[in-house]
Amino acid sequence: MRDSSSNLSNVNAAHVVPAHQAFHLVGVGGAGMSVLAHLLHDLGYTVSGSDRTEADTLPELRELGVKVFVGHRAAQVTPGMIVVASSAIREDNPEIQRAHQLGLEIWHRSQALDFCTRSKDLLAVAGAHGKTTTSAMLSKALWDVGADPSFAIGGVILEYGTGARLGRGREFVIEADESDGSFLNYAPLVEVLTNIEPDHLDHWGSREAFDQAFVDFTARIRPGGAIVACGDDAGIRRLAPRFHSGAALVSYGFGAPLPGAALVVALGEPRLGAGHAEVDLRVMRCHPEQLLFHDVLRLSQGGKHYLLDAAAALGAAAALNECVGGIDFGAFCQSLSSFTGTGRRMQFLGEIGGVRIYDDYGHHPTEVAATLGAARDLAGNGRLLVCFQPHLYSRTKTFASEFATVLSAADEVVVCGVYAARENPTDGADGDAIADLMGEKGQFISDMYAAGDAVYNLAKPGDLLLFLGAGSITHVAHDLVKAHLGAGTS
């Protein structure tokens, strides 16, 4: 379904939603949509929904009183409803078609989430990379310090086994997606910008439009809110003068803070190792200058990028503390130290004959470079082998050379066919466009399972094998581990 972020008439302040309004959620079994069903129900609305299969979330929704259907059928949409769907729902879905026939309002999931969270302290994490880990760190740490937050993010927090939760506190953490423009539907109290690096140009059309979307996002901030931004990122530093001037600015990073910052989370020299990282950090108020907190932050993940994600989470906590108070920085950092990760972010699946198998979602050259750096540390004296599935033909065409360069950091790379998602095939933009630029180090095998078998057959005891990509390549990794170690190990 196309996002309607350019038209906010469905959810603007002038739009009155009557107390007896019925909502129907298409794809209600998804983690984020099921939390949305909870929210709408708690607000007193009549809620129904459908999903194509019997998802794990459906029994709880039924107990709550949500009428849930398995399978999508036009008859399940009736006059007077507001229909809610995510970008994953296609326009040819029979329930979406029925909604159009009846002239019903169709809200994008992000619009409905904004509608439901207007009484919450909304913290929205945006950026080309690092959104999921930062959102997960922030959610876990707020929970551990007693805030009881809600969250809806794009990955599973391993400690909790879910990426979405409905809490009773005022704080609500979301991962704000720039890929389809839906982040422009939110009105956060705190915005976190991890980086601004062009991506999803199939949607935005140009780098200038992509940049402008982030500038527009900062204008969505609530009065009295704050923007938390990485001072180390070139895109943020370039665009910061255009950010909404009415918001307080919180800068974080290893280098010089952003000009005009009211608060700074300053990181010292990182100390990195295989599977761990630590850094001295300080939280400072700039005007007047005041040290608010200092400590050594220790993480159980290796890589400089994880330290930046943690600093972003701490920056959001500092901003929230300025707005509403009550954040214990020491307890917050202690929670970050015990963070074990999110699903598909350097997730360890198992060891087969001395070969360690990892799964990661990285699908942009910058993400891939950071992931391979952490994987190289974990590999130790072993080799680093990668099975990479490019995500989207448009991204592969745009960044083929960059992918070839960063993937060359591995010892052996097998690239499979592109995961098309919403796109149609494009000539000259399949995985071979990357492998051909890598010389002897890279090979192309179109079928992802054949590619996985090929790279696994190259592995020796002591090696690390990484399955990499935002599409279906994760199934290859999990199936490989299950075949050798059994279902209980993955």
Side-chain angles (χ1 to χ4, degrees):
M1 178 184 170
R2 291 190 300 272
D3 169 58
S4 51
S5 58
S6 61
N7 178 7
L8 301 180
S9 60
N10 286 339
V11 290
N12 65 22
H15 185 280
V16 177
V17 177
H20 62 270
Q21 179 65 52
F23 285 86
H24 182 78
L25 279 60
V26 185
V28 73
M33 290 288 275
S34 65
V35 166
L36 185 55
H38 271 274
L39 286 168
L40 288 166
H41 179 273
D42 283 1
L43 289 172
Y45 297 108
T46 299
V47 184
S48 63
S50 63
D51 212 291
R52 60 187 179 87
T53 59
E54 179 64 34
D56 293 340
T57 55
L58 299 190
E60 183 181 353
L61 291 177
R62 292 190 184 101
E63 290 182 10
L64 193 68
V66 176
K67 189 174 184 179
V68 176
F69 303 95
V70 176
H72 300 301
R73 303 175 188 87
Q76 290 158 191
V77 175
T78 57
M81 286 179 163
I82 292 177
V83 175
V84 182
S86 72
S87 299
I89 303 300
R90 298 173 64 95
E91 287 284 350
D92 61 3
N93 181 284
E95 295 181 6
I96 298 299
Q97 291 183 326
R98 179 61 172 165
H100 283 301
Q101 291 169 1
L102 293 174
L104 303 181
E105 292 187 30
I106 301 175
W107 289 8
H108 188 269
R109 170 184 170 270
S110 59
Q111 289 174 304
L113 188 56
D114 174 70
F115 173 77
C116 290
T117 57
R118 290 187 172 182
S119 63
K120 300 283 189 178
D121 294 331
L122 187 63
L123 300 96
V125 182
H129 344 287
K131 293 188 295 290
T132 300
T133 298
T134 300
S135 302
M137 286 178 165
L138 177 57
S139 300
K140 176 190 180 299
L142 286 175
W143 192 350
D144 286 350
V145 300
D148 195 20
S150 301
F151 56 82
I153 64 177
V156 172
I157 303 177
L158 297 181
E159 284 97 333
Y160 307 141
T162 183
R165 173 186 183 270
L166 185 62
R168 294 301 172 189
R170 288 189 53 83
E171 298 80 6
F172 201 121
V173 180
I174 61 170
E175 182 177 337
D177 186 9
E178 82 285 354
S179 68
D180 58 2
S182 60
F183 72 156
L184 296 176
N185 286 332
Y186 301 118
L189 178 67
V190 176
E191 293 182 352
V192 179
L193 302 180
T194 59
N195 40 65
I196 302 176
E197 186 172 1
D199 197 3
H200 309 292
L201 298 184
D202 58 312
H203 175 84
W204 293 107
S206 69
R207 298 185 179 221
E208 292 75 18
F210 183 85
D211 286 349
Q212 185 60 46
F214 276 88
V215 173
D216 292 344
F217 179 59
T218 68
R220 299 283 300 163
I221 200 85
R222 295 178 191 176
I227 299 168
V228 181
C230 181
D232 297 346
D233 181 71
I236 286 176
R237 191 163 283 276
R238 174 170 49 84
L239 293 174
R242 295 165 55 189
F243 290 170
H244 180 52
S245 59
L249 181 62
V250 180
S251 179
Y252 71 92
F254 292 97
L258 293 167
L263 291 174
V264 174
V265 179
L267 302 178
E269 189 67 25
R271 299 179 289 277
L272 308 176
H276 62 88
E278 67 176 44
V279 69
D280 299 313
L281 65 81
R282 293 174 295 156
V283 180
M284 298 176 291
R285 184 177 286 121
C286 298
H287 308 292
E289 188 171 319
Q290 180 184 6
L291 178 64
L292 301 178
F293 177 74
H294 67 93
D295 202 353
V296 177
L297 175 66
R298 297 179 176 86
L299 300 181
S300 58
Q301 292 86 25
K304 189 176 179 181
H305 58 300
Y306 282 114
L307 293 173
L308 282 172
D309 293 342
L314 182 58
L320 186 64
N321 192 62
E322 292 290 295
C323 294
V324 299
I327 302 296
D328 182 332
F329 291 148
F332 192 94
C333 286
Q334 186 176 0
S335 175
L336 292 176
S337 296
S338 65
F339 179 75
T340 59
T342 57
R344 301 219 59 214
R345 272 67 177 181
M346 277 307 291
Q347 183 180 0
F348 176 65
L349 300 185
E351 185 172 318
I352 306 170
V355 178
R356 292 159 287 166
I357 312 297
Y358 282 79
D359 182 25
D360 191 87
Y361 191 78
H363 55 283
H364 183 281
T366 301
E367 295 170 341
V368 171
T371 297
L372 292 186
R376 174 64 73 186
D377 288 338
L378 284 172
N381 294 325
R383 296 180 304 160
L384 174 59
L385 291 78
V386 174
C387 183
F388 178 60
Q389 181 187 54
H391 184 266
L392 299 179
Y393 291 99
S394 56
R395 183 182 289 120
T396 304
K397 183 175 183 180
T398 300
F399 295 117
S401 177
E402 289 88 344
F403 276 125
T405 298
V406 298
L407 286 168
S408 294
D411 296 295
E412 299 282 353
V413 179
V414 178
V415 183
C416 68
V418 167
Y419 182 80
R422 58 188 178 269
E423 295 185 338
N424 295 317
T426 301
D427 290 340
D430 207 345
D432 54 350
I434 297 170
D436 288 349
L437 295 173
M438 297 182 65
E440 295 182 358
K441 186 169 283 191
Q443 60 174 305
F444 173 69
I445 300 176
S446 181
D447 179 80
M448 66 178 185
Y449 277 97
D453 288 340
V455 72
Y456 174 68
N457 289 333
L458 294 172
K460 300 175 182 177
D463 290 347
L464 187 151
L465 172 52
L466 174 63
F467 288 85
L468 187 61
S472 53
I473 194 66
T474 183
H475 300 308
V476 179
H478 282 263
D479 289 350
L480 175 67
V481 173
K482 287 178 182 178
H484 288 269
L485 300 180
T489 60
S490 62

